[in-house]
mmCIF file of all heavy atoms in Angstrom:
data_model
loop_
_atom_site.group_PDB
_atom_site.id
_atom_site.type_symbol
_atom_site.label_atom_id
_atom_site.label_comp_id
_atom_site.label_asym_id
_atom_site.label_seq_id
_atom_site.Cartn_x
_atom_site.Cartn_y
_atom_site.Cartn_z
ATOM 1 N N GLY A 277 24.246 20.490 -15.379
ATOM 2 C CA GLY A 277 25.633 20.694 -15.055
ATOM 3 C C GLY A 277 26.203 19.747 -14.014
ATOM 4 O O GLY A 277 25.571 19.518 -12.974
ATOM 5 N N SER A 278 27.382 19.175 -14.245
ATOM 6 C CA SER A 278 28.014 18.241 -13.340
ATOM 7 C C SER A 278 28.808 18.902 -12.238
ATOM 8 O O SER A 278 29.354 18.253 -11.353
ATOM 9 C CB SER A 278 28.911 17.279 -14.139
ATOM 10 O OG SER A 278 29.907 17.978 -14.816
ATOM 11 N N GLU A 279 28.941 20.277 -12.315
ATOM 12 C CA GLU A 279 29.708 20.913 -11.244
ATOM 13 C C GLU A 279 28.879 21.022 -9.931
ATOM 14 O O GLU A 279 29.401 21.386 -8.913
ATOM 15 C CB GLU A 279 30.113 22.370 -11.693
ATOM 16 C CG GLU A 279 28.923 23.294 -11.872
ATOM 17 C CD GLU A 279 28.350 23.307 -13.272
ATOM 18 O OE1 GLU A 279 28.537 22.280 -13.964
ATOM 19 O OE2 GLU A 279 27.732 24.295 -13.661
ATOM 20 N N PHE A 280 27.595 20.648 -10.006
ATOM 21 C CA PHE A 280 26.725 20.639 -8.825
ATOM 22 C C PHE A 280 26.538 19.219 -8.347
ATOM 23 O O PHE A 280 26.495 18.291 -9.160
ATOM 24 C CB PHE A 280 25.371 21.307 -9.132
ATOM 25 C CG PHE A 280 25.504 22.744 -9.580
ATOM 26 C CD1 PHE A 280 25.356 23.032 -10.937
ATOM 27 C CD2 PHE A 280 25.788 23.772 -8.715
ATOM 28 C CE1 PHE A 280 25.471 24.370 -11.360
ATOM 29 C CE2 PHE A 280 25.865 25.064 -9.083
ATOM 30 C CZ PHE A 280 25.727 25.400 -10.440
ATOM 31 N N LEU A 281 26.373 19.086 -7.056
ATOM 32 C CA LEU A 281 25.962 17.749 -6.504
ATOM 33 C C LEU A 281 24.558 17.470 -6.872
ATOM 34 O O LEU A 281 24.215 16.256 -7.176
ATOM 35 C CB LEU A 281 26.177 17.738 -4.959
ATOM 36 C CG LEU A 281 27.596 17.734 -4.480
ATOM 37 C CD1 LEU A 281 27.627 17.849 -2.995
ATOM 38 C CD2 LEU A 281 28.328 16.491 -4.916
ATOM 39 N N LEU A 282 23.668 18.429 -6.886
ATOM 40 C CA LEU A 282 22.277 18.230 -7.221
ATOM 41 C C LEU A 282 21.869 19.392 -8.157
ATOM 42 O O LEU A 282 22.052 20.537 -7.852
ATOM 43 C CB LEU A 282 21.394 18.207 -6.011
ATOM 44 C CG LEU A 282 19.884 18.046 -6.216
ATOM 45 C CD1 LEU A 282 19.552 16.663 -6.838
ATOM 46 C CD2 LEU A 282 19.105 18.150 -4.904
ATOM 47 N N ASP A 283 21.268 18.979 -9.254
ATOM 48 C CA ASP A 283 20.847 19.992 -10.272
ATOM 49 C C ASP A 283 19.392 19.684 -10.691
ATOM 50 O O ASP A 283 19.152 18.643 -11.271
ATOM 51 C CB ASP A 283 21.794 19.976 -11.457
ATOM 52 C CG ASP A 283 21.916 21.358 -12.103
ATOM 53 O OD1 ASP A 283 21.133 22.270 -11.766
ATOM 54 O OD2 ASP A 283 22.820 21.495 -12.943
ATOM 55 N N VAL A 284 18.505 20.596 -10.355
ATOM 56 C CA VAL A 284 17.078 20.363 -10.636
ATOM 57 C C VAL A 284 16.632 21.379 -11.687
ATOM 58 O O VAL A 284 16.901 22.586 -11.579
ATOM 59 C CB VAL A 284 16.239 20.558 -9.323
ATOM 60 C CG1 VAL A 284 14.715 20.413 -9.614
ATOM 61 C CG2 VAL A 284 16.695 19.577 -8.267
ATOM 62 N N ARG A 285 15.926 20.899 -12.718
ATOM 63 C CA ARG A 285 15.498 21.774 -13.790
ATOM 64 C C ARG A 285 14.018 21.504 -14.133
ATOM 65 O O ARG A 285 13.617 20.397 -14.476
ATOM 66 C CB ARG A 285 16.362 21.492 -15.098
ATOM 67 C CG ARG A 285 17.775 21.979 -14.960
ATOM 68 C CD ARG A 285 17.815 23.518 -14.976
ATOM 69 N NE ARG A 285 19.190 24.024 -14.769
ATOM 70 C CZ ARG A 285 19.662 24.370 -13.594
ATOM 71 N NH1 ARG A 285 18.927 24.317 -12.512
ATOM 72 N NH2 ARG A 285 20.910 24.846 -13.496
ATOM 73 N N GLU A 286 13.226 22.572 -13.972
ATOM 74 C CA GLU A 286 11.844 22.584 -14.365
ATOM 75 C C GLU A 286 11.024 21.373 -13.787
ATOM 76 O O GLU A 286 10.256 20.741 -14.471
ATOM 77 C CB GLU A 286 11.673 22.672 -15.908
ATOM 78 C CG GLU A 286 12.296 23.937 -16.456
ATOM 79 C CD GLU A 286 12.139 24.015 -17.968
ATOM 80 O OE1 GLU A 286 11.625 23.026 -18.586
ATOM 81 O OE2 GLU A 286 12.510 25.068 -18.540
ATOM 82 N N LEU A 287 11.252 21.153 -12.502
ATOM 83 C CA LEU A 287 10.540 20.051 -11.826
ATOM 84 C C LEU A 287 9.086 20.448 -11.560
ATOM 85 O O LEU A 287 8.832 21.515 -11.009
ATOM 86 C CB LEU A 287 11.229 19.722 -10.517
ATOM 87 C CG LEU A 287 10.502 18.800 -9.566
ATOM 88 C CD1 LEU A 287 10.215 17.430 -10.187
ATOM 89 C CD2 LEU A 287 11.271 18.623 -8.255
ATOM 90 N N SER A 288 8.174 19.600 -11.999
ATOM 91 C CA SER A 288 6.753 19.805 -11.726
ATOM 92 C C SER A 288 6.180 18.544 -11.190
ATOM 93 O O SER A 288 6.538 17.452 -11.609
ATOM 94 C CB SER A 288 5.972 20.245 -13.010
ATOM 95 O OG SER A 288 6.394 21.483 -13.429
ATOM 96 N N VAL A 289 5.253 18.650 -10.245
ATOM 97 C CA VAL A 289 4.572 17.541 -9.641
ATOM 98 C C VAL A 289 3.083 17.819 -9.641
ATOM 99 O O VAL A 289 2.644 18.879 -9.190
ATOM 100 C CB VAL A 289 4.997 17.243 -8.194
ATOM 101 C CG1 VAL A 289 4.259 16.069 -7.651
ATOM 102 C CG2 VAL A 289 6.508 17.063 -8.144
ATOM 103 N N ARG A 290 2.306 16.881 -10.221
ATOM 104 C CA ARG A 290 0.879 16.980 -10.184
ATOM 105 C C ARG A 290 0.304 15.747 -9.537
ATOM 106 O O ARG A 290 0.831 14.652 -9.653
ATOM 107 C CB ARG A 290 0.332 17.076 -11.645
ATOM 108 C CG ARG A 290 0.913 18.213 -12.481
ATOM 109 C CD ARG A 290 0.321 19.550 -12.051
ATOM 110 N NE ARG A 290 0.786 20.620 -12.894
ATOM 111 C CZ ARG A 290 1.788 21.436 -12.539
ATOM 112 N NH1 ARG A 290 2.426 21.232 -11.406
ATOM 113 N NH2 ARG A 290 2.188 22.420 -13.350
ATOM 114 N N PHE A 291 -0.805 15.929 -8.808
ATOM 115 C CA PHE A 291 -1.525 14.812 -8.167
ATOM 116 C C PHE A 291 -2.881 14.625 -8.834
ATOM 117 O O PHE A 291 -3.664 15.595 -8.902
ATOM 118 C CB PHE A 291 -1.649 15.042 -6.679
ATOM 119 C CG PHE A 291 -0.399 14.989 -5.896
ATOM 120 C CD1 PHE A 291 0.169 16.113 -5.332
ATOM 121 C CD2 PHE A 291 0.260 13.790 -5.736
ATOM 122 C CE1 PHE A 291 1.329 16.093 -4.624
ATOM 123 C CE2 PHE A 291 1.467 13.735 -5.001
ATOM 124 C CZ PHE A 291 2.011 14.874 -4.467
#
Side-chain angles (χ1 to χ4, degrees):
S278 59
E279 67 269 24
F280 300 105
L281 289 175
L282 178 64
D283 212 347
V284 178
R285 289 289 176 265
E286 298 181 356
L287 169 59
S288 293
V289 180
R290 304 286 184 262
F291 291 110

